[in-house]
Each structure stands twice: as structure tokens, then as C-alpha cells.
Amino acid sequence: MTGNTDVVVIGGGYAGVMAANRLTRRDDVTVTLINPRPDFVERIRLHQLVGGSHDAVLDYRRVLAEGVRLVVDSVTHIDAAGRSVVLAAGGTIGYDYLIYAVGSGGAGPGVPGATEFAYPIATLEAAERLRPVIDAAPATAAVTVVGAGPTGIETAAELAEAGRTVTLVCGEPLGPYLHPRGRRSVRRRLAALGVTVLEGPDARVTAVTRDSVRLGDGRESASEVTVWTAGFAVPDLAARSGLSTDAVGRMLTDETLTSVDDARIVAAGDSAAPSNLPLRMSCQAAMPLGARAADTVLSRIAGEQPSPLNQAFAGQCISLGRRSGVFQFAHRYDVAVWFHIDGRPGAKLKEFVCRGIVKHLSDEAREPGSYALHRVPGGPHRQRLLRTGPDRTPALP
């Protein structure tokens, strides 16, 4: 391709910022990042915002390359045929290539009363609504956190360490991703903080009221503040725009993250489903996927064949308040192993990771291409999972 190339990135989270920064490697590429907020959200710190130990927000200029144009708006429609996106505030922006990195948010609870009386935490706006509610609640107020995953565990620990009376309602095993050894460590720390943990199908929430939650076995547990952390969902922008998605709305791509419908559209982060085998929704996956998406676009601009996905995982880190944490190690294909680091070293490692993520984005902004993608083949595990069949990537128009 000759002349200037316009690339639009939808979504300014971990994947979108990484992709936008990396695209500035070429002087003949104009990059526009569209995001509904004027600031970068450290989503992995939202539980700290609720607990009062961090505001979870950074100025974009700390993490975004100077050459990237930031448009504070939302995209309501992708016109793939016309190569443009429609903005909520009116008007359109054209593109030669589009990177779809809209991320994820909280899933609808689907439980009677939860929408009215429970507080989600998956977005900045939700966490900001919850913070004053927590602050205004009496010190003795019963707080219930619903969700067995890392967000639920971290929120419960953060609030308990601040002196709140917390019940963590799982509805399934605590920390289902964790190895049993890591799970035991988390359970010990939560017990030390005074968190009551309810696990298993009998502890599944079936209804939420203003001052209680009802469980699967008929019990009612007092709850003056109920925090809902169970499940994630992706925006329906791709589906509304007529692009192919998986069952939950992630954009279907090939192994180069290219849309199965349009070779000028590439997806990254939580909203991408490569080969209909999406990676775990996480910051750990989002940044490499953002870098890979940018590399795919840059390869196509150069007339080269993009490299396939080669994601490798390290594990999962969970903060348990400010003084303890767990880093659960895993196989590169994201299955937990027996080894973990817990206690104060685990907390320090989690904080190191959180700061390191911002540093990676900042470094990529200053020196695009500096973020190293590990050259780890997909390996036999992913290859066994991949569906057989011809390459569905369409040709460039």
C-alpha cells in the first residue's frame, strides 16, 4: 500500500492502547483512538477504587503515544463496506484498517432484584457509584460480594481489610481457576480477614433485596450492600454492525486476529474470539493481543503475511488486601500448576505486575515496537483445539 494509511482503534483499554502505540512505528500511518472516557482506566485496580486505596485512573498522556489522536466518544455502528465508524455524538470517521478492542464489562445478573439492589464493579462508572455507598454505610453494615473469581475475591479482601463485615458468596468453588494449593492459601487469608465464604450450588444467589440475598438452599443472608462481580460480557457493537461473533458477542477472527468477514478489520483483547477459541478475558491476554493486532495491520500495509497468534500465559495474580496476595503460576496454555507465591511476597508481586503493565504501555508509547511478543508457538494444545478447515480470511479489496 502506498501513501498514508488511516487506522482507527475502537477502545482505549489495555489492548487498544497497546495497539495504537505500536501502530506509530510507521510515519505513514495515522492512528485515531476512540474511547468513551478522557482518561485511561486501570481496570485491574477498580476494587482498590471501591476500597479507597487507589483512584484507578491515569491521564492518557502517560500511556498513549503523542502521535495518536484521541477522540472521546462512543462508536454506535461499524460500516465495513464504507470503511467508516459512526459516532454517538454525530458524524463518522473513515479508516483503511480498523482495530476492534472494545473490551468487556459486567454481565447482566439475570437474578431477581439484582439489577435494582446490587452494585456492579466491572467499569469505572460502576465502581465510582459504589464507592460513596460503601463510605456511607455504617461500619457494622453487612456487605455481600457475589462472585467466585478474582474480582470477587479481591473486592471482598479489600473491603474486609478496611474493617467491613464481608460475606463472599461464590455459588461455585472459590477461585475456580486456582490450583487447590493456591485456593487453600486464598481461603486462609480471607478467613484471617474475617470474610465468611459460602461456596457450592446451595450458595448460589437466587434473589437480591434491599437488605438481603437469597441463596439456592432457601437461606437468606443479611446484606445492606450487595456487590455483584459474577461474570463478564462484551459490547454488542460487532453483532449490531453485522459482523460475525461467537455466542457471547466476541468478534470471530482467524489466528492472525483478522475478522472472518473483512480483512481490514482486526480484533484484540476481551472482545476477540480467534478461531472461535477465545483466550481468558484478562489484562494478561489483552496487551499481547493488542500488540499482535497492530503487527497484523502493519504486516498487511507492508504487503506481508501476518504472523499467527502465539499467546503464552504465566498464571493469575490476586491481591488479598494491601498486605497479602497470591500469584498462581500456570502452564503456558493457561492451566494452573501447583506452585504459587502468597503472603506479603504475593502482594508485592501483584503490585509489581500492576505497575509493570503501565510501564509496558508507557514504554511502547515512547518507543513503539519495544514491547516483546514472546515467540512461543501455539503448541499442540491449541492446535488440537483449533477447528480444521480452509483459511476463512477474506482477501483485501
Side-chain angles (χ1 to χ4, degrees), residues 123-158:
T123 65
L124 175 65
E125 292 76 13
E128 288 178 333
R129 286 192 295 270
L130 174 57
R131 172 73 184 275
V133 173
I134 293 289
D135 290 345
T140 56
V143 178
T144 299
V145 178
V146 181
T151 305
I153 293 169
E154 291 185 323
T155 304
E158 200 77 25

Side-chain angles (χ1 to χ4, degrees), residues 65 95 116 128 164 180 183 207 218 226 232 277 300 337:
Y95 66 82
E116 295 84 355
E128 288 178 333
R164 293 293 176 176
R183 189 174 299 119
T226 301
F232 289 101
L277 292 170
R300 293 199 185 282
V337 299

Side-chain angles (χ1 to χ4, degrees), residues 58-377:
L58 294 173
D59 188 299
Y60 260 119
R61 290 308 157 190
R62 281 192 59 185
V63 295
L64 193 61
E66 290 185 4
V68 176
R69 173 192 176 205
L70 175 64
V71 175
V72 181
D73 206 336
S74 297
V75 173
T76 60
H77 182 74
I78 300 168
D79 179 3
R83 293 188 206 160
S84 66
V85 297
V86 180
L87 302 178
T92 62
I93 296 178
Y95 66 82
D96 294 305
Y97 288 92
L98 176 72
I99 293 184
Y100 184 82
V102 297
S104 63
V111 170
T115 300
E116 295 84 355
F117 302 116
Y119 293 87
I121 194 179
T123 65
L124 175 65
E125 292 76 13
E128 288 178 333
R129 286 192 295 270
L130 174 57
R131 172 73 184 275
V133 173
I134 293 289
D135 290 345
T140 56
V143 178
T144 299
V145 178
V146 181
T151 305
I153 293 169
E154 291 185 323
T155 304
E158 200 77 25
L159 296 176
E161 191 176 73
R164 293 293 176 176
T165 302
V166 180
T167 298
L168 177 60
V169 180
C170 297
E172 57 181 319
L174 175 72
Y177 174 88
L178 300 171
H179 186 275
R181 291 189 179 189
R183 189 174 299 119
R184 285 195 293 271
S185 178
V186 170
R187 190 176 283 111
R188 284 195 300 269
R189 176 58 180 168
L190 291 176
L193 290 170
V195 177
T196 299
V197 178
L198 304 178
E199 299 180 72
D202 288 345
R204 191 175 300 276
V205 174
T206 58
V208 180
T209 69
R210 190 180 303 277
D211 55 10
S212 69
V213 295
R214 185 174 303 124
L215 305 180
D217 59 2
R219 286 178 293 168
E220 287 206 9
S221 177
S223 182
E224 295 180 53
V225 180
T226 301
V227 184
W228 197 276
T229 73
F232 289 101
V234 299
D236 64 351
L237 175 60
R240 283 190 287 109
S241 300
L243 298 166
S244 298
T245 65
D246 69 1
V248 301
R250 288 171 288 217
M251 182 180 289
L252 287 175
T253 75
D254 65 9
E255 288 292 285
T256 71
L257 301 180
T258 303
S259 164
V260 299
D261 302 308
D262 190 325
R264 293 184 180 270
I265 298 177
V266 180
D270 290 354
S271 54
S275 303
N276 205 15
L277 292 170
L279 305 176
R280 172 166 53 90
M281 291 186 183
S282 65
C283 173
Q284 185 178 175
M287 286 204 310
L289 288 173
R292 175 62 62 199
D295 287 353
T296 289
V297 170
L298 292 172
S299 293
R300 293 199 185 282
I301 292 172
E304 301 169 352
Q305 178 61 36
S307 298
L309 181 67
N310 58 2
Q311 183 79 24
F313 284 87
Q316 187 178 88
C317 51
I318 300 174
S319 66
L320 298 168
R322 298 299 87 214
R323 297 186 293 274
S324 185
V326 168
F327 190 101
Q328 170 67 71
F329 287 85
H331 293 288
R332 68 183 188 189
Y333 49 84
D334 205 27
V335 174
V337 299
W338 66 270
F339 184 61
H340 68 273
I341 297 173
D342 60 10
R344 189 169 291 275
K348 291 182 177 180
L349 186 53
K350 172 63 186 284
E351 182 61 24
F352 175 80
V353 168
C354 290
R355 293 183 181 182
I357 289 166
V358 173
K359 185 177 186 303
H360 282 312
L361 295 175
S362 299
D363 288 349
E364 189 71 16
R366 291 192 302 269
E367 187 181 349
S370 62
Y371 180 74
L373 280 171
H374 299 294
R375 299 297 175 183
V376 179

